[in-house]
Amino acid sequence: MINLTKIGIIVGSLRKNSFSKQIADNVVSLLPAGYEAEFVEIGNLPLFNQDYEGDLGTPAEYTSFRNTIKALDAVLFVTPEYNRSIPAALKNALDVASRPYGESVWSGKPAAIISQSPGALAGFGSNHHLRQVLTFLNMPVVQQPEAYIGSVHELLDENGKLNGETTQFLQSFVNEFDHLIKKYQ
Ligand code: FNR
């Protein structure tokens, strides 16, 4: 049996019709042979409280999330920008799986970031704040091409399919992610 390389996809938006999720769905179909994708839920994680490492005990959702991340070979983040940064749900998920101290399950996993916005700045602030956190979490991140998807609502059709030009760009992005992952295998 061939061992597939597992990419976890974390979507920074919890919204049902999220543009980020629609982009992520498009990206799944661009993965080369040998990969499997798994969407990782973050909306169910209680807000991080350091007392969960003490008196309060560990929430079951934390244990399950940490085990899911641990089992991944790489992580793709597709996120909107909230007030020029990453959404709180995404930061919460990053914090949860970074603890307990010294037991972060993010460390060493190759990552890639796609930011999107209906606006023209394409989530630049969110993209770079996330990049900063991932650097601290010791995750090698795809540097080029950078993926800023602006005016996202104009790029998706009514079935959530991205136009040809954007798909072609994201294919080149995915190919670089593939190269990065192979470097660390
Ligand atoms: C936004 N939005 C937004 N857009 C942007 O380009 N820069 C920003 O700083 C913000 N700030 C922001 C804050 C909050 C609280 C919300 C709810 C929204 C707009 C955002 O890009 C838009 O709602 C996207 O559609 C969100 O992505 P999803 O949910 O479609 O994936």
Side-chain angles (χ1 to χ4, degrees):
M1 211 180 79
I2 304 162
N3 265 346
L4 295 173
T5 301
K6 198 182 250 194
I7 297 189
I9 302 183
I10 297 188
V11 174
S13 167
L14 308 182
R15 192 168 77 85
K16 184 157 55 77
N17 296 320
S18 158
F19 291 127
S20 309
K21 172 67 165 60
Q22 291 180 53
I23 289 176
D25 285 334
N26 280 266
V27 170
V28 168
S29 66
L30 303 176
L31 293 174
Y35 283 96
E36 65 178 327
E38 175 183 348
F39 281 90
V40 182
E41 166 81 52
I42 61 169
N44 61 336
L45 297 171
L47 265 189
F48 184 78
N49 177 342
Q50 215 177 338
D51 288 335
Y52 288 138
E53 295 175 2
D55 294 352
L56 294 181
T58 309
E61 295 90 340
Y62 280 21
T63 305
S64 162
F65 182 68
R66 287 166 180 160
N67 288 339
T68 300
I69 301 299
K70 208 180 205 167
L72 300 174
D73 296 299
V75 191
L76 170 68
F77 295 89
V78 186
T79 187
E81 175 175 86
Y82 282 0
N83 300 309
R84 295 286 180 260
S85 187
I86 57 176
L90 176 53
K91 184 58 165 59
N92 188 51
L94 290 162
D95 292 342
V96 166
S98 74
R99 299 292 296 194
Y101 181 77
E103 294 176 38
S104 168
V105 287
W106 299 112
S107 187
K109 290 189 196 297
I113 300 170
I114 299 171
S115 60
Q116 66 73 26
S117 172
L121 299 184
F124 175 88
S126 158
N127 191 306
H128 281 262
H129 279 184
L130 179 55
R131 212 166 272 274
Q132 176 177 326
V133 176
L134 300 191
T135 298
F136 179 70
L137 292 174
N138 193 32
M139 301 176 81
V141 182
V142 171
Q143 307 287 1
Q144 293 291 342
E146 298 164 287
Y148 308 111
I149 312 295
S151 305
V152 66
H153 57 296
E154 294 171 7
L155 308 178
L156 290 156
D157 70 16
E158 63 282 5
N159 300 314
K161 176 120 185 61
L162 278 166
N163 68 22
E165 199 184 339
T166 311
T167 302
Q168 213 173 3
F169 165 71
L170 285 176
Q171 184 66 70
S172 69
F173 176 80
V174 165
N175 293 346
E176 286 307 320
F177 192 23
D178 174 39
H179 293 151
L180 181 74
I181 292 167
K182 294 209 159 93
K183 263 194 222 166
Y184 285 86
Q185 274 177 332

